[in-house]
Amino acid sequence: MANWAATLNRVPQPAEAWPLVAHGTAALDRTFAWRDGAPISVARFLVDAASVAARLPSTAHALNACSDRYLFAVSLAACMQRGIVTLLPPARTPGVIAHLRADAPDLVLLVDREEDAEPRGGLPVHRVELVERGPATALAIPEFPGSQLVARMYSSGSTGQPQPQPKLWASLVRNAAAQVQRLAEVAPEGIALLGTVPAQHSYGFESTVLVALAAGATLTASRPFFPADIAAELDALPRPRGLVTTPFHLRTVLDAGLALPAIDLLLCATAPLTPGLANAAEQAFRAPLIEIYGATESGQLATRRTTRETCWTPYAGVQVTQHDGRAWAEGGHVLAPTPLADLIEPAGSGGFLLLGRHADMVNIAGKRSSLAYLTQVLLRVPGVIDGAFFVPEEPANGADITRVAAAVVAPGQSSSALMAALREHLDPVFLPRPLLLVPALPRSETSKLPVARLRALLHAQRTS
């Protein structure tokens, strides 16, 4: 198998300098990205990044909101060249922006669309455009010290405020190397990766942008959403080609009943994936599906071939262990021991089983389960397109909850029929009260379901 990480066979150290792109000067004509059906070379990318860098405003912090994945990568590289730290929050609501401005008063919003070029939340806006695009002259590939702070990604903490997670260049490069060393076992070198997840999300950032910069894969600029667009854009890419997606998007694409092009790799993350859905996806796309486990705090940590394994295998150098009732990650690209939000069970040879998230564990009348497990049972009911269990209100004073609720998209199905199907598999205490029939779930752009949105959905139905 080709080894994508051949140029990264040493551990990046913070004291060393590491190149912006791993292709090397001998491969400046190699394709770095696909945009509007045309290839963009490494040399062109370097010229574009240098041009954008020269026009960036004077600031120390920028919020990269570019929706075009190529322009996102160009802006990231431009910021690195100017020493500007890129902020990548989970949302751009007024509350989140106000929180970011409190820490970074000089924050500038980078956008790539005219409709986004209005000031937002008091932030000054800079539109990223590609201008003066003459021939791509030879440029030296810039290098950056491993200790350079490239980005701050944000996870949502228990307080609801975004929690900053600093990302150094050495750690990002090492993360990319670990990922491609694992994927090289099943995927060809130089694979073009189409993503349905945004570049601003940690999974999308690592698996569509970082692997192109630091590990020689090829990114695609677009982020299709509808099944027909996903199929068409995959079909237009040359092979080898792959899809970086989520369980929600996979289910949506497969349920559309389209003729799907053969590809070479499926990557999936952000929510638990059932073996049944993984098997259907592998058959439809004629490609291996690799599920990724990680967190914003730690980066990617482990993978599994879901159709063949229940156990997760950590990346090289990474250990995921259980201490004092919670999981921890350390080693490899994880710079310091990092607590995780999940419960695990060691499975030998360094592997582990995921038992669910701490916040997902529910205890009703002395019986324990997890919201993730209950949701998987719901999704296996015939006729269910989408659904999720959730706790309808916050328990008072740390008390155990007394019930769970569920929201489900199941056109043509009645709540009584769905409840009857759930009774076949669930203890009565875990049957949802209420079961909401809705036309769609309020998913985020990364297909996640914040509990606040589900509770708001319940409140809206109660007051309508």
Side-chain angles (χ1 to χ4, degrees), residues 263-282:
I263 61 176
D264 302 280
L265 178 67
L266 275 165
L267 294 182
C268 196
T270 73
L273 181 66
T274 63
L277 180 56
N279 186 65
E282 287 198 347

Side-chain angles (χ1 to χ4, degrees), residues 144-234:
F144 303 96
S147 58
Q148 179 166 333
L149 178 61
V150 172
R152 285 198 190 98
M153 309 202 80
Y154 288 80
S155 59
S156 180
S158 58
T159 64
Q161 293 291 356
Q163 303 300 308
Q165 309 297 330
K167 302 295 179 179
L168 303 183
W169 183 231
S171 179
L172 293 176
V173 171
R174 191 171 184 180
N175 193 347
Q179 181 181 7
V180 296
Q181 284 169 343
R182 176 62 51 78
L183 298 182
E185 300 170 7
V186 295
E189 183 179 6
I191 189 168
L193 295 172
L194 178 71
T196 66
V197 287
Q200 289 80 3
H201 182 265
S202 57
Y203 165 51
F205 176 66
E206 293 158 354
S207 294
T208 64
V209 176
L210 193 57
V211 293
L213 287 174
T218 303
L219 68 79
T220 52
S222 62
R223 181 167 68 92
F225 178 83
F226 296 106
D229 294 334
I230 294 171
E233 295 208 29
L234 280 172

Side-chain angles (χ1 to χ4, degrees), residues 118-434:
E118 295 294 327
R120 185 179 304 183
L123 288 183
V125 176
H126 177 81
R127 187 174 177 190
V128 176
E129 297 181 280
L130 302 179
V131 298
E132 302 173 3
R133 300 192 82 207
T137 56
L139 286 178
I141 297 176
E143 294 188 345
F144 303 96
S147 58
Q148 179 166 333
L149 178 61
V150 172
R152 285 198 190 98
M153 309 202 80
Y154 288 80
S155 59
S156 180
S158 58
T159 64
Q161 293 291 356
Q163 303 300 308
Q165 309 297 330
K167 302 295 179 179
L168 303 183
W169 183 231
S171 179
L172 293 176
V173 171
R174 191 171 184 180
N175 193 347
Q179 181 181 7
V180 296
Q181 284 169 343
R182 176 62 51 78
L183 298 182
E185 300 170 7
V186 295
E189 183 179 6
I191 189 168
L193 295 172
L194 178 71
T196 66
V197 287
Q200 289 80 3
H201 182 265
S202 57
Y203 165 51
F205 176 66
E206 293 158 354
S207 294
T208 64
V209 176
L210 193 57
V211 293
L213 287 174
T218 303
L219 68 79
T220 52
S222 62
R223 181 167 68 92
F225 178 83
F226 296 106
D229 294 334
I230 294 171
E233 295 208 29
L234 280 172
D235 193 46
L237 286 174
R239 298 186 73 171
R241 59 197 179 196
L243 179 65
V244 180
T245 191
T246 68
F248 173 75
H249 279 123
L250 267 186
R251 179 185 287 271
T252 302
V253 169
L254 296 182
D255 287 349
L258 301 172
L260 297 172
I263 61 176
D264 302 280
L265 178 67
L266 275 165
L267 294 182
C268 196
T270 73
L273 181 66
T274 63
L277 180 56
N279 186 65
E282 287 198 347
Q283 292 185 24
F285 285 103
R286 284 87 79 195
L289 185 149
I290 304 298
E291 193 174 2
I292 295 174
Y293 171 68
T296 305
E297 296 87 343
S298 62
Q300 296 185 10
L301 296 171
T303 64
R304 67 175 180 178
R305 178 87 179 265
T306 314
T307 56
R308 300 180 181 181
E309 305 165 306
T310 58
C311 181
W312 295 84
T313 302
Y315 286 158
V318 172
Q319 298 90 43
V320 178
T321 55
Q322 188 89 355
H323 299 297
D324 300 324
R326 72 181 309 164
W328 290 78
E330 59 184 311
H333 62 272
V334 184
L335 299 180
T338 302
L340 305 173
D342 298 283
L343 296 168
I344 70 158
E345 178 182 311
S349 301
F352 61 93
L353 298 172
L354 273 179
L355 304 181
R357 298 179 73 83
H358 283 279
D360 280 352
M361 303 307 294
V362 291
N363 189 331
I364 303 177
K367 298 179 179 181
R368 288 174 60 83
S369 187
S370 75
L371 297 175
Y373 169 75
L374 298 174
T375 295
Q376 292 304 319
V377 173
L378 176 62
L379 292 174
R380 289 197 293 267
V381 173
V384 171
I385 296 175
D386 198 9
F389 272 75
F390 63 100
V391 178
E393 63 272 320
E394 202 68 40
N397 300 321
D400 287 342
I401 65 170
T402 59
R403 64 192 175 100
V404 291
V408 60
V409 181
Q413 299 292 315
S414 67
S415 58
S416 59
L418 294 171
M419 289 291 280
L422 290 173
R423 284 192 186 95
E424 296 284 331
H425 303 283
L426 297 180
D427 188 289
V429 302
F430 295 119
L431 291 174
R433 294 178 295 129

Side-chain angles (χ1 to χ4, degrees), residues 18-22 45-46 49 77 80-81 141-144 169 212-214:
W18 289 84
L20 174 63
V21 290
F45 168 70
L46 296 177
M80 291 175 65
Q81 293 179 60
I141 297 176
E143 294 188 345
F144 303 96
W169 183 231
L213 287 174

